[in-house]
Amino acid sequence: MICILDPIDLKPIVEKIKPKSNKGPTGYNPEAILRAFLVQQIEKIPSRADLVSKIDRSPYLRYVCGFSTTGRVPSEATFSRYYSKLSEADELETLMNNLLDQCIELDLLNTEIMAIDASKLEAYERAKPRSKIDKKNNSTPDWGTKFDSHKNQITWFGWKIHAATETKSELPIALTLTPANHSDKTQAIPLVEKVNSFLAERNLTKPKYWTMDSGYDYTDIYEHILFEQESQAITPINKRNAQQPPAGFYDFKG
């Protein structure tokens, strides 16, 4: 049976998160743990408790992940320990870049137009009151608020994942992660620089256009993209900021 996860080489990450010592009882295969995390995202399983329950009840998911079809599955605590190790590993970004290199070889990317946006990412841990959150610590989740496409206000406890995406394939080229209370605009310039660094290392042409929503309507973003990157920002005017882009900048009124 062929699984969509089979072509992904997880060995570099497995080496990073596997136990350092061979002493003690035999644990779970770290690669199976990693595959379970991927299954959680693909199947949109909301929590680790749900992930454990679904794998425990499904011989097929056990097989896909690489667990024994009859034995025990890892506990929620085991998944949490491996997740902590995973969050500290740089190999995840390396894996993403390796997959993008495969996409380049297959001519799947056209980086002429890039889009930047942010999405909510709920924390797995229990939500804390705002008064008990350390605002200076960017490694802990926080409360965030944003409006969806229907102008409904959404509030969540966790993170924001900021992405620069190639608009033809809709594949992300660069990602950053912040606590949910961070403004989208703070990550625009870092994402632009990460994309251009990725493309320069591969002798690929820089994007000509950067599309963003009105949350990125700030002069420093316009100026960086135009003068530092010699590209064009296409952004609706944010009426709350009432900022008119400088002469020569294009504004799309969507």
Side-chain angles (χ1 to χ4, degrees):
M1 183 182 299
I2 298 175
C3 172
I4 62 172
L5 302 178
D6 290 344
I8 303 176
D9 182 12
L10 297 174
K11 291 184 177 61
I13 306 176
V14 170
E15 291 299 316
K16 186 73 174 182
I17 67 172
K18 72 179 183 180
K20 303 300 181 183
S21 174
N22 293 325
K23 297 180 180 179
T26 302
Y28 295 100
N29 180 357
E31 184 166 352
I33 299 282
L34 290 176
R35 290 169 73 99
F37 283 133
L38 293 174
V39 165
Q40 181 178 9
Q41 297 304 313
I42 294 169
E43 296 294 324
K44 301 187 184 326
I45 300 172
S47 70
R48 292 197 194 112
D50 291 328
L51 176 63
V52 171
S53 177
K54 285 183 179 295
I55 293 175
D56 187 44
R57 292 184 285 108
S58 171
Y60 173 73
L61 286 183
R62 287 172 178 242
Y63 172 82
V64 167
C65 295
F67 298 117
S68 168
T69 55
T70 57
R72 294 188 307 162
V73 300
S75 66
E76 186 178 351
T78 299
F79 275 112
S80 294
R81 287 196 296 272
Y82 274 98
Y83 190 86
S84 296
K85 293 182 180 180
L86 193 60
S87 65
E88 300 171 357
D90 296 334
E91 282 74 12
L92 281 175
E93 185 169 5
T94 300
L95 173 61
M96 173 180 162
N97 289 341
N98 289 341
L99 293 173
L100 286 172
D101 286 336
Q102 293 179 37
C103 293
I104 292 171
E105 292 176 3
L106 295 172
D107 196 27
L108 298 179
L109 301 183
N110 180 354
T111 56
E112 180 179 16
I113 304 175
M114 298 291 301
I116 290 178
D117 205 355
S119 298
K120 72 182 183 73
L121 185 64
E122 295 185 3
Y124 288 116
E125 62 189 84
R126 187 183 301 275
K128 297 178 181 178
R130 295 178 190 271
S131 60
K132 295 186 178 181
I133 297 174
D134 182 3
K135 299 295 183 180
K136 296 181 180 180
N137 187 355
N138 290 334
S139 63
T140 59
D142 205 331
W143 288 96
T145 301
K146 68 182 299 182
F147 292 91
D148 64 16
S149 57
H150 301 289
K151 306 300 181 183
N152 299 314
Q153 189 175 34
I154 300 172
T155 300
W156 75 100
F157 179 74
W159 312 88
K160 275 185 182 178
I161 184 165
H162 308 262
T165 304
E166 185 269 307
T167 58
K168 176 188 174 183
S169 65
E170 299 184 356
L171 291 171
I173 306 299
L175 301 169
T176 60
L177 184 71
T178 66
N181 63 321
H182 282 217
S183 171
D184 294 358
K185 68 172 184 177
T186 63
Q187 299 303 303
I189 292 176
L191 284 171
V192 169
E193 292 180 338
K194 286 188 72 171
V195 168
N196 285 328
S197 175
F198 173 86
L199 297 177
E201 290 173 359
R202 291 155 178 81
N203 295 317
L204 298 176
T205 305
K206 294 195 300 185
K208 292 183 180 178
Y209 305 102
W210 294 86
T211 64
M212 294 163 274
D213 63 30
S214 59
Y216 299 89
D217 176 31
Y218 290 88
T219 301
D220 59 333
I221 298 176
Y222 288 117
E223 291 181 342
H224 180 84
I225 290 175
L226 181 66
F227 299 121
E228 300 295 329
Q229 306 298 339
E230 298 181 341
S231 302
Q232 180 72 65
I234 303 176
T235 310
I237 292 176
N238 188 332
K239 295 180 180 179
R240 288 180 297 173
N241 294 335
Q243 290 197 199
Q244 181 70 33
F249 292 88
Y250 178 73
D251 171 70
F252 172 73
K253 299 182 181 192

